[in-house]
Amino acid sequence: MLEHTAPGHARLSGRLDMHSIAQMVQPLVALARQEDLELDLSAISEADSAAVALLLQAKRASLASGHRLTLTGWPASLLTLAQLYALDDVLTAPIGT
């Protein structure tokens, strides 16, 4: 689930897999394009490679719009997936203005 918690802040929670992220892609990309965004990942209970793809898409959208996307509260399982695909540096780096 994606929750816009405050201006510039949002949270992903629950299970993030190829079935659940479909409803999150457009809203998350829209948030990343609108403003600098700090996205809290600490409430994610399960994640698969689709979650990594979702985060990459949001990161690309923020960069293309000149905004910063900061990902915080990485669950160990999601960070392990990002490391497996050698994307942890890309996703954890402060990209943007």
Side-chain angles (χ1 to χ4, degrees):
M1 178 162 91
L2 173 64
E3 179 183 4
H4 192 196
T5 56
H9 296 274
R11 175 179 33 234
L12 287 172
S13 62
R15 183 181 183 141
L16 298 184
D17 59 21
M18 65 182 215
H19 301 291
S20 65
I21 68 157
Q23 65 192 21
M24 294 178 219
V25 173
Q26 293 305 333
L28 181 55
V29 166
L31 280 176
R33 287 181 178 151
Q34 287 176 348
E35 59 190 344
D36 288 351
L37 183 64
E38 183 175 308
L39 185 60
D40 179 6
L41 309 175
S42 63
I44 295 172
S45 59
E46 294 180 50
D48 67 12
S49 59
V52 175
L54 174 69
L55 297 176
L56 281 171
Q57 194 165 0
K59 197 74 153 180
R60 281 192 297 267
S62 68
L63 181 60
S65 299
H67 295 291
R68 179 172 298 186
L69 176 63
T70 305
L71 304 172
T72 64
W74 283 83
S77 60
L78 183 55
L79 186 56
T80 298
L81 274 176
Q83 290 168 338
L84 177 67
Y85 295 114
L87 294 170
D88 53 316
D89 287 341
V90 171
L91 288 170
T92 59
I95 296 175
T97 57

